[in-house]
Amino acid sequence: MTARPEHLPERLALLADMQAATYITEGLLTGREDVPSIALNKTTEELPVDDARFRLRRVRDLIDDVMYKVQAEERPVTAADAWLAPRLHATLRLTRREAADARLWNYLALGVAPDYVVRRHLPTTPKKDGGAPSVARARFRGVHYTQAFARLWWTAELFRNGPDYTPVVVACGNQDMLNTALRMDVVDHRPTALALVRLIEREVIRTGREANALASAVNASAATLMYDVVAQDSERDAEPLRDWIAAAEGASPVSRNALPEGPEEERAPETSVDVLTDYFEGLFADAPVRGREVVEESSAG
Amino acid sequence: MRAYPYPRPSGPVTMRVTAVRLSGPDEAREDLDTKGYSVVEQVVALGRAERSDWETARLKLSATVPAREMETKGHWSEVTVVAVLAEKATNARTVARLEPEGPANREWTGSIMLVRPDHLDRATLSVHVVATVDGVPGRIIASSERDWMVDVTADVPLRDRQLDVVTVSFARAAEWLRPFRDAPWMVDTSGRMPTVRLNTDFDGLTALVQGAGTKVESLVGEMLLSQLCTDVWTAVFHTAIGDLEIEDDGTPLLPPDWRGEVLREMLPDVVPGRSVEDALREVHARRTGDGTWAELQPRIHYAATRRAEVPKALGETVRGIERLDQEATA
Amino acid sequence: MEVGEDFGPWLARQLQLTRMKQTELAEAVGVTRAAVSAWITGRAEPRTETINKIAEALKLDVGTLHTRTTDTLAGLPFTWYHRPGHADGGREFGNAAAFAFEADLEVLAREATQNSLDERRRGNEQPVRVRYTLNELTGETLARFRTAIRWDDLFPHYESAAAQDQKVGRVISAGLREMYERDRLVLLRVDDYNASGLTGDDYADGRFAAVVRRQLDSRKVDSGAGGSYGLGKATLWATSRLGLVLINSTLAEAHEGRTDRRLIGRLDLPWREVDGKPYAGPAWLGRPDAEADNVDVVRSWWADEDTVRSLHLDRESDDPGTSFLIVGAHDVASLAGARSDGDPGDDEDSLERMHRRLVQALGRNFWAAMTTGGDRQPLLEASVRTQRNGDEFLKEERVDPVIYQPARSRALQAFLGGNTVERITEVGQVAAVTVPLKVPDIEGRPGSGGEHRAVLLVTDASDADGRPNQVTAMRGNRMTVKTSRVPDLPLGTDPFQAVLLAGRAAGDGAPFAAEAEEFLRTSEPPEHNKWSQTEELRMRYSPSAHRRIAALTTATNKAVKELVAVQKEKKDSNGTGKVRKRLKVSGKAAAKGNTAVALPKLDDLDATVGADGAWQVTAEVKVPTGGDTWHMSPVAKLDVRSGPRPVVRWAELVAVSNCEVVDGVLHFAPGARRASFRGVTDVSTHTVRAALTGLVVELHTGRGDSA
């Protein structure tokens, strides 16, 4: 199995797609090889700012802990994501602008924790053609909703309610919700994201298929309905995030047990989340779910 | 074509930015020169700001809606007009309500805030008219036809973007470039915008493609430049087509960034006579499945040469050489 | 009490007017001839009871004798005097000046208003007020007006002139027909108030003679004037299809001791013969001039209020100024390009159109003079109203420069009010900078020139301002001299309007304002449409003086660009600008290559949600030439906010016209240009209810079930 990199510099860095591609080998994807960490660190670029947030150690410590958890837990996948997403977010304390730089995620996946990416994303079953199971390339280098670390960070960013990461944990509990919703523009509206989570909490949505059906209905309905108007969010304020980032210097490592706290941003108005939760529940009741309504339909038709 | 299950007004919705105020730390304020935004291009160039440490930009907007039509037809109640500022790259979405100005409810004004750390590159700004229709609140009944672009780094409000061109010694640059030391240029398509690197180890390369020097040099330079451009367009096309996001049903999506723009530009030459979406589907199918990818290469090459204006450069060069010959024999 | 001229001269004129001898008056009043002579020479004045008798003899009321502001009406009434034919038999066909113009209300409004502006009284800070009144006369009112202007005396002359096959003859002929057949005559009155009025002698130099007697003269009053009563006045006559204009003027400076109701009429006709006598050119309506050699010559007279009213010349106040009444007004120019904008009526004298043309012309040409700012009064106020037989037909409309030139008047307003900015940061703001005009020395007067700073105003344009990206230049009279496009603006420059205020227009504080004003006026040709080399400029300054104007233009364009133009390109820091320029990403396809193929495409879509929740679609397809060989699959999808749209299957797909449906694919009839089909979606394939979202229908090539 791919091992922890031998060479871990003091600071995080940026790794361009072109360079990243050269390290994503068949050997790595199948977990048989390690990343040549010394060579890799020669092709990186420095981060534009030098502050405490980017001390590599802080992230690697989290990875070490989660690796341990992955081995210990019974349902490793969702539990690991639910544990790591808020903690990664609270450790890195990135702005969205910084988080939009794929080079940082490339570096995390290849330079800091290739062992984790392989452990987390290596399928347990062999390929259809009988080949050895391999990690999808996009887990190392890919868009924000597929890359191993970007997807966790963005889940935390889009599903947190101000400083409260609880909804993030819930969202991670339904991997299909994570995979489907994260790629849709509708979750850029906070009350929408929180209403989706609430339906999981209420156990209206239990399975992956249900999550997918709900997500498609919400996405389709959003083509004609402006959720932002029927369920207003509070106005964005840049200051809490700025303060939170500034406080990174003196912050102690995030708690391994209790949920960390995010920036002290205003929470989404409760009424807005309620309005959408009810509306989505109605949508879901109407939506065809694969496997759920087949019988009804065929008997009706 | 689209149809909606509820009535929508047919008149246009237009929007323009009327003022931009940047705020920085310590109450610092700056009103952006109107040269920083263009109604013609519908672009705001925030990089034009004098101070670089601004944290928020408040954009004042004015929108016009087909008020008379909405009044006469009477299908819509509780009309609101909202502006939406969004950027795919950062999943940022800000919504602001506009207020009617004047008696006719035709013009709506207001402002929307852009929080700088929430944005990377270019945000789109659009206006939507939302109303209650047939008892359903919150329906989008009309939207502005063309989005504005709010570019957080550009200092010129132009819609078209240029690829980055840098000059660098491949032999002495970052380690990964050294293996390419024999190449005169290289296209790196991995960044926010593709970057073309010109290798300064080739003495005089830059001057040549810039068209400096004697007549002969400028003729050669022109040919070289079109060669370079052909390489670049071929490379960016392959990157764009190779990096497609594929949906569960197999539909390739046009990427939101420069890749999408490049595809929009070149696909009509690669698969002529089709809609861009249609052409994209076809190219993607050939690349991934049915083995006719190789057959498509000449068309991609054709699109790149056209985009690089090779025929024009070639014609001019031939004519230029003839003229030089005449001068030499005269 | 208002008192007119001295008794002696006044009495002398009354005797002349009434053709009464001193002895006759002496007899009628019962005094000696010597006593009358003494009154006339001013050696004595009559006693009160004698005055009563004199009034009786002259058929005047006693008050008039005391005030002496009008003349007796007892003598010959006002009448038409037609100038006899030239002794040499030369024939002129109509007023030479009037021929220069087609009847064009835009030109009339420009010239007449410019005259009023030039004649504005400088003593007060009040604007000159100009009012255009259109009045359509019919029936009884028209008959009364004809009587008032002694139509019967005129008619033979018109008949003779109309009979000639000359252009003027044809215009008159049409005018007469219009009046008789439709029983309709349009009067257009141009009034100004707070202006000089037609002062001066009937014949000698002065405003009066310039307008009434000499058609080709231009009499300039001050150096700021545009062209006082120059050629422009001829447009008054050119606008009348009868060549007839009546004038009533209230004078700012007394003439013959009077100011009120100085009347005259002038008719311009071609050479004609009436009752065997030849007549050449003009005729005047007036009072016979007792002092003239020819007993039939007429001059202006001081009319009473009834006469003024009967001639539709009554003025609304005592403010000095002039009223021109154009009899039979028409607007030939408006016919060109008419109809296109949904005009009411298409007559050349449709009241609505004439009204609108006047308002527009005033707005377009005089926005600057009408603009106010801060606490400053405008130079001009203008309005247009339309009546029928004196009753309101179209409401009086005060011309508002903001409506006709929103951007330019906003610019000037900001300048006058001191609200300009250095740098535009918000739409609607006006930036002001100064540009240099190096006024050269006047020939032989070294040191008389210097650097003037003209004021350049720039603001964002609106559609109402006309063509964008122009600089409108003017000097002290605020009349647009020229409007020129700023060249070489980079792509992406927002549309703007600029105003260049030079000379006195730059404000009192501007250096060398008076010198610049004079310099620019000297460089202005009679058409007042540019600043350039003129003979006068060459003589007064130097042969190269006009280059200073070119320098001003260059400086102006440069300053405009600095204010509005976006930078062309990024700074070429590493010498790769040319390469970068070739590597632009725009998302726009290159111009169509020769390989372009035209495919059938959807042209119209009609879709509703049926009771069963399915979409019912009728679509029309446009088939280009050669496109009928393509097979197209209609595909229906549900709209989404982002990502792929779920495809819904057709439950039913049928051809309606010019096509067949074969396995869900459209085959077009050969040669068909349009085809249509109908479809119903399969509800079981909807991922959401139809009412929730939009439906997208596309045509794909070949079999289109794969989406």
Side-chain angles (χ1 to χ4, degrees), chain A residues 184-186 217 219-226 279 283 286-288 297, chain C residues 638-644 646 684-689 691-694:
Chain A
M184 297 190 318
D185 287 1
V186 281
N219 190 29
S221 164
T224 69
L225 221 58
M226 186 69 97
Y279 178 74
L283 278 185
D286 255 10
E297 261 175 35
Chain C
L638 296 180
D639 206 1
V640 293
R641 171 70 65 79
S642 65
S684 71
T685 61
H686 287 201
T687 51
V688 289
R689 274 189 297 127
L692 285 174
T693 190

Side-chain angles (χ1 to χ4, degrees), chain C residues 195-213:
Chain C
S196 322
L198 297 182
T199 56
D201 190 74
D202 256 71
Y203 308 101
D205 277 357
R207 293 183 177 92
F208 181 89
V211 173
V212 178
R213 302 289 177 191

Side-chain angles (χ1 to χ4, degrees), chain A residues 4-281:
Chain A
R4 192 175 189 264
E6 293 294 334
H7 172 61
L8 288 169
E10 194 183 337
R11 308 185 41 71
L12 296 176
L14 302 172
L15 183 66
D17 282 356
M18 196 152 66
Q19 280 65 261
T22 59
Y23 298 103
I24 308 173
T25 59
E26 267 317 298
L28 175 67
L29 292 174
T30 49
R32 284 181 281 112
E33 285 172 16
D34 297 339
V35 174
S37 52
I38 296 169
L40 180 140
N41 277 292
K42 281 184 185 166
T43 62
T44 58
E45 296 158 68
E46 270 180 42
L47 279 154
V49 285
D50 175 14
D51 61 38
R53 296 179 295 154
F54 301 119
R55 281 203 290 268
L56 188 147
R57 185 84 247 148
R58 293 163 47 130
V59 185
R60 185 62 226 190
D61 284 352
L62 279 182
I63 302 298
D64 289 342
D65 284 359
V66 84
M67 287 291 280
Y68 177 76
K69 268 187 119 49
V70 170
Q71 276 150 1
E73 297 269 340
E74 263 181 36
R75 277 175 42 219
V77 167
T78 53
D81 285 355
W83 188 88
L84 185 54
R87 289 171 178 82
L88 180 73
H89 190 269
T91 300
L92 285 173
R93 303 198 181 193
L94 303 174
T95 64
R96 289 187 175 204
R97 178 167 37 158
E98 289 163 335
D101 191 340
R103 295 174 300 171
L104 178 66
W105 305 118
N106 290 343
Y107 185 76
L108 278 174
L110 290 159
V112 179
D115 48 336
Y116 173 75
V117 178
V118 171
R119 171 62 57 112
R120 166 69 183 79
H121 293 287
L122 190 67
T124 46
T125 50
K127 280 186 184 170
K128 277 178 198 160
D129 60 10
S134 82
V135 177
R137 225 164 250 279
R139 297 299 184 186
F140 285 98
R141 181 185 77 116
V143 287
H144 77 272
Y145 53 79
T146 49
Q147 206 271 355
F149 292 105
R151 67 190 278 276
L152 293 179
W153 191 90
W154 283 107
T155 302
E157 175 68 11
L158 295 171
F159 285 92
R160 71 185 165 88
N161 190 3
D164 181 11
Y165 287 112
T166 317
V168 181
V169 175
V170 179
C172 289
N174 187 320
Q175 289 285 313
D176 285 273
M177 176 61 83
L178 210 62
N179 294 336
T180 314
L182 204 54
R183 67 177 63 184
M184 297 190 318
D185 287 1
V186 281
V187 292
D188 298 351
H189 179 234
R190 214 159 45 135
T192 299
L194 294 174
L196 292 174
V197 167
R198 197 161 289 178
L199 289 179
I200 301 174
E201 264 174 340
R202 291 188 189 168
E203 301 195 339
V204 174
I205 302 297
R206 296 159 202 261
T207 66
R209 281 178 177 178
E210 287 171 348
N212 286 334
L214 172 68
S216 345
V218 167
N219 190 29
S221 164
T224 69
L225 221 58
M226 186 69 97
Y227 298 151
D228 315 69
V229 170
V230 291
Q232 269 184 283
D233 199 355
S234 46
E235 196 176 338
R236 187 105 173 95
D237 181 0
E239 221 162 300
L241 178 67
R242 197 162 63 227
D243 295 345
W244 190 59
I245 290 172
E249 186 71 53
S252 45
V254 291
S255 163
R256 270 40 182 173
N257 300 314
L259 265 186
E261 292 217 334
E264 277 302 325
E265 284 162 4
E266 205 175 316
R267 290 164 195 246
E270 202 57 24
T271 48
S272 293
V273 182
D274 287 343
V275 164
L276 288 181
T277 307
D278 291 349
Y279 178 74
F280 293 165
E281 193 165 357

Side-chain angles (χ1 to χ4, degrees), chain C residues 341-395:
Chain C
D341 45 355
D343 269 308
D346 51 2
D347 294 344
E348 65 194 66
D349 47 8
S350 136
L351 290 178
E352 287 89 343
R353 182 178 323 128
M354 286 167 81
H355 181 102
R356 206 183 55 218
R357 288 253 301 158
L358 284 169
V359 171
Q360 282 171 350
L362 289 165
R364 191 157 42 228
N365 291 290
F366 299 98
W367 60 269
M370 290 187 288
T371 297
T372 56
D375 48 7
R376 290 207 230 180
Q377 291 275 345
L379 299 178
L380 169 75
E381 281 175 14
S383 64
V384 179
R385 60 176 180 168
T386 297
Q387 305 172 332
R388 272 183 164 155
N389 291 326
D391 296 329
E392 180 179 285
F393 174 59
L394 298 176
K395 222 172 140 50

Side-chain angles (χ1 to χ4, degrees), chain C residues 405-676:
Chain C
Q405 291 291 333
R408 292 185 176 107
S409 59
R410 180 178 62 233
L412 186 57
Q413 205 167 13
F415 171 70
L416 296 174
N419 302 321
T420 56
V421 297
E422 281 174 30
R423 210 166 60 92
I424 308 176
T425 58
E426 182 158 0
V427 169
Q429 285 179 338
V430 177
V433 291
T434 63
V435 286
L437 168 61
K438 294 203 173 85
V439 182
D441 292 343
I442 290 174
E443 172 74 26
R445 276 171 52 199
S448 60
E451 185 174 290
H452 170 60
R453 303 293 299 188
V455 175
L456 176 68
L457 307 170
V458 180
T459 193
D460 52 294
S462 67
D463 291 326
D465 297 289
R467 283 197 296 162
N469 308 342
Q470 311 276 323
V471 179
T472 299
M474 56 186 63
R475 52 184 179 85
N477 63 358
R478 288 210 219 141
M479 186 77 180
T480 298
V481 173
K482 59 171 183 171
T483 297
S484 45
R485 191 179 176 82
V486 178
D488 305 326
L489 288 166
L491 199 74
T493 304
D494 279 351
F496 64 87
Q497 292 293 354
V499 178
L500 181 68
L501 303 171
R504 289 193 193 279
D508 302 329
F512 293 93
E515 288 80 359
E517 179 80 20
E518 194 181 345
F519 172 71
L520 291 172
R521 191 177 48 76
T522 312
S523 72
E524 219 168 275
E527 297 81 17
H528 308 290
N529 59 358
K530 60 183 170 189
W531 292 324
S532 62
Q533 180 69 291
T534 62
E535 200 46 44
E536 198 186 348
L537 191 71
R538 191 197 310 272
M539 305 292 285
R540 268 177 71 85
Y541 294 89
S542 77
S544 64
H546 67 278
R547 291 201 193 123
R548 306 294 174 94
I549 295 161
L552 173 67
T553 308
T554 310
T556 302
N557 287 341
K558 186 163 167 265
V560 169
K561 279 184 213 164
E562 268 163 28
L563 282 170
V564 302
V566 296
Q567 252 172 281
K568 265 186 176 159
E569 301 289 346
K570 269 185 202 163
K571 266 186 220 105
D572 194 3
S573 51
N574 57 5
T576 57
K578 195 173 171 192
V579 186
R580 248 190 268 129
K581 225 168 153 175
R582 289 277 288 271
L583 295 171
K584 266 186 198 162
V585 182
S586 66
K588 285 179 288 237
K592 277 226 170 84
N594 49 9
T595 49
V597 180
L599 287 178
K601 59 181 181 204
L602 278 179
D603 196 41
D604 203 11
L605 178 68
D606 185 27
T608 50
V609 180
D612 58 350
W615 278 98
Q616 297 176 346
V617 173
T618 309
E620 199 153 321
V621 183
K622 199 172 156 190
V623 187
T625 314
D628 48 7
T629 55
W630 286 90
H631 296 171
M632 307 296 289
S633 314
V635 176
K637 297 174 174 180
L638 296 180
D639 206 1
V640 293
R641 171 70 65 79
S642 65
R645 301 188 181 110
V647 175
V648 291
R649 279 202 294 273
W650 297 109
E652 196 185 322
L653 193 63
V654 272
V656 174
S657 68
N658 285 334
C659 60
E660 290 179 73
V661 177
V662 181
D663 282 347
V665 178
L666 296 176
H667 293 214
F668 299 101
R673 287 291 156 267
R674 298 191 83 80
S676 59

Side-chain angles (χ1 to χ4, degrees), chain B residues 85-104:
Chain B
L85 181 76
E87 185 175 0
K88 278 261 185 191
T90 60
N91 300 303
R93 178 178 173 90
T94 315
V95 177
R97 279 174 190 251
L98 305 184
E99 296 296 330
E101 201 177 79

